[in-house]
Amino acid sequence: MTIKNVKKRWKDIPIGGVIVEPKTSLRNKTGNWRVQKPVFHPERCIHCMLCVPYCPEDAFIVEDGKLKGINYDYCKGCGLCASVCPVKAITMEDENVEQENDEK
Amino acid sequence: MNNLKIFVDSKYIDNYETVLPLSGAHAVAEAMRQINPDTVAAYPITPQTPIVERFSEFVADGKVDTEFIPVESEHSAMSATIGASAAGARAMTATSSVGLALMFEVVNAASGMRLPIVMPVVNRALSSPINIHCDHSDTMACRDAGWIQIYSENSQEAYEHAILAIRLAEHPEIQLPVMVAQDGFITSHSVEVVRILKDEVVKNFVGERKPIHSLLFSENPVTFGALELPDYFFETKRQQQYAMEMALKYYSDIANELTKLTGHAYPMFEPFMLDDADVALIALNSSAGTIKKVVKEMRQEGKKVGLLKIRLFRPFNYELMKSMLKHVKTIGVLDRSFSFGANPPVFSEVLASLRSENIFSFVYGLGGRELYESQVRETFDNLLKGKFDAKINYIGLRE
């Protein structure tokens, strides 16, 4: 009575839920948790960087002191960035639910 | 060495240092001194207090190398013990009653993280009404917390079980925490003659802990206690069940090793005048001693009564229990705790040992794992064919 699944069997994983290598959270792409997504409007951005420390997921892409965009692999859509942005350069929009629910 | 000859078989006398008048609590403290754990984090609570009180004297007197952490609660005691154990240390604590209840959250974390912590527990009633005296409500409330549980009849057993527990906990295929129980006041505060092994004998028996993972192996960093969602939680829990199966498998080997040093036997279930008994009582902890005295007296009167003492309550050896009771016509099971609204804990296990053959166990859905209609159908179909063994079956587990 087993589930056919590519995931590992109980005898093949480390005991006690121990994670035996670093940086494994990179593989856990939490972007598909989003209900709403932040949309970046670069033409309004004044690059104050207030959104960057507020982001709980470190999902903002910054190059040479300029905000370049959002990493949707990890952004959970909490909306903190949109609420702190002083110039409304980030707005929250509904996700296409059907597209985003294809959990692997 | 003066009184050793009176109390110890000459075959084993070289392994013993002395005999001391000790309470159960001080006997356990003596075991902890000889084990010399890396870390002890503890908080006082009646009637456990004399264990860590005496142990803290050993720390202050430099008789152990232990880092002693006086904490602000039992929750912190277990948390600090878990942290030390995850770092690779041999870590211990001790508690009683509502102290165990307060640490309950992290008691489960210790077993879930597979940390071989050994914790003497002095059994005391749970509140309310507040009561400092003995019953087994505290450890019985933790019987499903994933800890091995060993129960002790007297101070001598409490001392030896604490030493045994280290090896059981740290066995590479077990890696589970162990509670070593003794009765509050009845055992913990009554002074008896306790035969004490030589420090070297205990040191050699317990050896050094060899952690499988350690937070302090900086070249090979690991994470303990991370999130697991429905896709893996059940598998991790199945491993804990397997570890309990391994504890049943290796218990006797480890116990026999200690027997070779002490001359005392540590069967999972200890029969006393049971072979030809028509009627038997089943009990654990100090009451077993009381019952033995009565059994002897009643045998003099020609009454065929006996006792089965439970030492290892978790894991529970159902098949062994069944085989040992095969010839007994009437069985009485003594429980020093309730399971309110249900059968008391020890009775419940003995009853399960004697169950009929057409009922099977299925574990499913742990940590949010889904149960599908197809699995229900498959379970029905298999039951219709009557093809299951008596052990636990699993639905939706990746075997």
Side-chain angles (χ1 to χ4, degrees):
Chain A
M1 210 170 294
T2 53
I3 295 176
K4 277 181 189 156
N5 201 309
V6 292
K7 290 192 163 73
K8 287 179 181 171
R9 300 174 304 169
W10 70 266
K11 282 185 178 171
D12 301 330
I13 55 176
I15 65 163
V18 170
I19 298 172
V20 293
E21 54 182 313
K23 289 189 177 179
T24 53
S25 59
L26 287 173
R27 294 182 217 156
N28 189 17
K29 296 192 174 171
T30 49
N32 61 6
W33 295 17
R34 276 195 311 274
V35 179
Q36 289 193 312
K37 71 193 286 185
V39 177
F40 178 47
H41 307 285
E43 70 281 5
R44 296 182 212 157
C45 181
I46 55 172
H47 304 284
C48 69
M49 299 296 156
L50 197 54
C51 53
V52 175
Y54 268 95
C55 177
E57 296 298 324
D58 198 18
F60 280 97
I61 302 159
V62 180
E63 283 171 19
D64 301 327
K66 302 279 184 193
L67 196 66
K68 290 290 179 186
I70 297 164
N71 185 339
Y72 290 110
D73 280 351
Y74 302 105
C75 167
K76 290 173 180 164
C78 70
L80 273 174
C81 51
S83 72
V84 299
C85 179
V87 293
K88 294 190 170 22
I90 300 166
T91 55
M92 298 303 288
E93 292 176 14
D94 285 346
E95 284 283 354
N96 181 342
V97 175
E98 276 172 36
Q99 202 180 340
E100 292 296 330
N101 267 0
D102 58 341
E103 199 176 326
K104 286 163 195 100
Chain B
M1 296 296 277
N2 44 353
N3 291 324
L4 266 178
K5 278 183 194 162
I6 305 168
F7 293 102
V8 179
D9 190 321
S10 60
K11 194 177 160 195
Y12 301 99
I13 203 158
D14 289 345
N15 293 328
Y16 285 89
E17 179 66 35
T18 186
V19 288
L20 292 174
L22 290 177
S23 65
H26 286 171
V28 162
E30 191 66 13
M32 288 171 72
R33 180 187 65 74
Q34 295 182 309
I35 291 163
N36 194 8
D38 300 305
T39 309
V40 170
Y43 190 80
I45 183 167
T46 303
Q48 172 279 126
T49 307
I51 296 178
V52 287
E53 199 171 56
R54 174 61 65 91
F55 187 77
S56 66
E57 288 170 21
F58 293 143
V59 176
D61 293 347
K63 290 186 175 166
V64 287
D65 308 309
T66 308
E67 183 73 33
F68 187 84
I69 313 173
V71 286
E72 71 275 36
S73 78
E74 284 84 359
H75 191 283
S76 306
M78 182 49 67
S79 299
T81 307
I82 286 171
S85 188
R90 181 175 277 158
M92 298 180 78
T93 181
T95 194
S96 280
S97 181
V98 289
L100 182 56
L102 179 57
M103 65 166 68
F104 185 68
E105 178 193 1
V106 270
V107 164
N108 287 268
S111 55
M113 286 191 248
R114 305 291 298 279
L115 300 171
I117 294 161
V118 172
M119 173 166 68
V121 180
V122 181
N123 287 111
R124 167 189 151 182
L126 289 174
S127 299
S128 173
I130 194 164
N131 178 304
I132 58 167
H133 294 280
C134 175
D135 74 29
H136 301 156
S137 306
D138 48 6
T139 50
M140 285 300 164
C142 289
R143 66 192 187 276
D144 295 337
W147 285 56
I148 293 169
Q149 290 192 338
I150 305 175
Y151 286 82
S152 318
E153 182 182 326
N154 49 40
S155 302
Q156 186 71 45
E157 283 196 357
Y159 165 74
E160 288 166 22
H161 288 169
I163 295 164
L164 173 66
I166 296 285
R167 286 284 303 279
L168 194 59
E170 295 178 6
H171 187 285
E173 291 207 60
I174 300 174
Q175 299 284 311
L176 286 175
V178 185
M179 287 182 200
V180 180
Q182 60 170 288
D183 280 344
F185 292 109
I186 301 164
T187 305
S188 68
H189 286 59
S190 301
V191 175
E192 296 181 293
V193 167
V194 180
R195 288 146 281 188
I196 301 295
L197 293 162
K198 285 178 176 158
D199 289 358
E200 282 301 304
V201 169
V202 176
K203 191 181 173 185
N204 290 337
F205 179 77
V206 297
E208 257 188 51
R209 185 183 165 204
K210 295 182 184 68
I212 294 172
H213 303 293
S214 164
L215 289 174
L216 295 184
F217 293 164
S218 55
E219 70 281 12
N220 189 11
V222 295
T223 304
F224 275 85
L227 175 79
E228 272 189 13
L229 292 173
D231 57 349
Y232 272 105
F233 186 86
F234 197 1
E235 279 66 33
T236 296
K237 290 289 148 182
R238 175 66 182 89
Q239 294 178 330
Q240 267 178 262
Q241 177 67 11
Y242 179 75
M244 281 289 187
E245 292 160 18
M246 291 301 100
L248 268 192
K249 182 179 171 186
Y250 293 111
Y251 173 84
S252 298
D253 293 347
I254 299 166
N256 289 343
E257 249 186 83
L258 187 59
T259 297
K260 279 180 194 153
L261 302 173
T262 62
H264 304 141
Y266 312 95
M268 296 175 191
F269 305 136
E270 183 182 306
F272 184 79
M273 298 189 171
L274 189 72
D275 286 352
D276 61 340
D278 291 331
V279 174
L281 285 180
I282 298 176
L284 40 74
N285 268 11
S286 68
S287 304
T290 312
I291 296 165
K292 281 177 184 172
K293 182 167 185 291
V294 178
V295 167
K296 272 194 243 172
E297 288 170 7
M298 289 182 73
R299 283 280 174 165
Q300 295 290 318
E301 300 157 19
K303 289 170 182 160
K304 291 175 99 175
V305 296
L307 165 72
L308 186 58
K309 178 177 90 178
I310 295 175
R311 176 177 274 106
L312 191 66
F313 187 71
R314 283 289 181 275
F316 195 92
N317 194 333
Y318 294 94
E319 284 162 32
L320 179 64
M321 175 62 68
K322 187 178 186 176
S323 70
M324 291 180 83
L325 293 173
K326 217 180 321 179
H327 64 285
V328 184
K329 289 179 187 129
T330 308
I331 302 155
V333 183
L334 269 64
D335 270 281
R336 208 165 194 155
S337 63
F338 272 120
S339 174
F340 295 106
N343 287 324
V346 184
F347 177 67
S348 182
E349 301 301 8
V350 176
L351 203 60
S353 312
L354 306 171
R355 69 179 185 175
S356 67
E357 294 300 319
N358 60 349
I359 176 165
F360 303 97
S361 166
F362 296 89
V363 176
Y364 79 101
L366 269 63
R369 181 70 46 86
E370 293 287 358
L371 176 70
Y372 296 104
E373 289 170 26
S374 59
Q375 294 169 327
V376 177
R377 183 172 288 276
E378 194 184 342
T379 306
F380 267 129
D381 283 339
N382 285 327
L383 284 171
L384 284 165
K385 290 175 208 154
K387 60 161 201 187
F388 282 106
D389 67 36
K391 292 191 179 134
I392 299 167
N393 301 282
Y394 300 93
I395 302 175
L397 178 79
R398 291 191 300 278
E399 297 277 6

